[in-house]
Amino acid sequence: MRKNIVAGNWKMNNDLDASIELVHELILATDDIEIGNTRIIVAPTFVNLQKVREIVEGSRVEVAAQNMHQENSGAFTGEISAEMLQNIGINDVIIGHSERRAYFNETDELLAQKVSRALENNMNVIFCFGEQLEDRKSENHFKVVESQLKNGLFHLSEKKLGFVILAYEPVWAIGTGETASPEQAQEMHAFIRNLLKDKYGNEVAKNTSILYGGSVKSSNAKEIFSKPDVDGGLIGGAALKVNDFVAIIKAFS
Ligand code: 13P
């Protein structure tokens, strides 16, 4: 059975001290809450990954990277590889975030390479995708999402797809305060699950977690997460404050 997941993407926020404080508070606040088998993940910036990973040892909080390079090593100044992440005990990585696509020109083709490289290194992938506002306004959102999935992910074997979590993040809802309605999220998540079913069969479709991301807050998390095809969230701004993030996690209690 697929897992519920609440993941906090800290983006380029939190220096070392702030990262240490936030993760300590998060561990304390989630130590004894009743949220079944819900996974809790945080994704700090690269330089703080190792420290945060050491701190979460033995707790229920897990740590993911926000990005990685598609090659294992070489002359790629400023980049970080899957091998390097694995080497410091990071087993999960976010790939394809809309900010990477928009500001760093990451294409579907590049993302497909990153996904393959991460899986080859035995990492789990949180694969992000989602339409722009214009796509939704012109009613192309299903088409856009379908092509992002086909181009970035559907080259994978059924076995490899088992190590991927999907995160639908409509770009117009990220950091804007404008959330997709629970109905809009459910409609898209059902569409995505159906694409998985067509390509990989019912078992895979049933077992793949699909997260929603985009202005999730403590006030709307419960309603969004209660939809049958929404298996949790990828949280930006609200993951930076422990009380807000914990309240979102508690949507699964
Ligand atoms: P916000 O929750 O700040 O809208 O960000 C969502 C996001 O981009 C998570 O990856």
Side-chain angles (χ1 to χ4, degrees), residues 193-206:
R193 206 175 296 287
N194 214 42
L195 291 175
L196 288 172
K197 186 172 155 207
D198 288 347
K199 170 78 182 165
Y200 294 102
N202 206 22
E203 263 323 277
V204 171
K206 263 196 333 208

Side-chain angles (χ1 to χ4, degrees), residues 147-183:
S147 92
Q148 288 173 326
L149 287 175
K150 286 194 168 156
N151 295 333
L153 215 53
F154 282 8
H155 61 289
L156 296 177
S157 66
E158 180 183 327
K159 185 161 176 255
K160 288 255 163 102
L161 196 89
F163 298 97
V164 179
I165 295 161
L166 272 55
Y168 168 60
E169 298 201 301
V171 178
W172 49 271
I174 295 178
T176 59
E178 187 180 347
T179 323
S181 68
E183 292 70 32

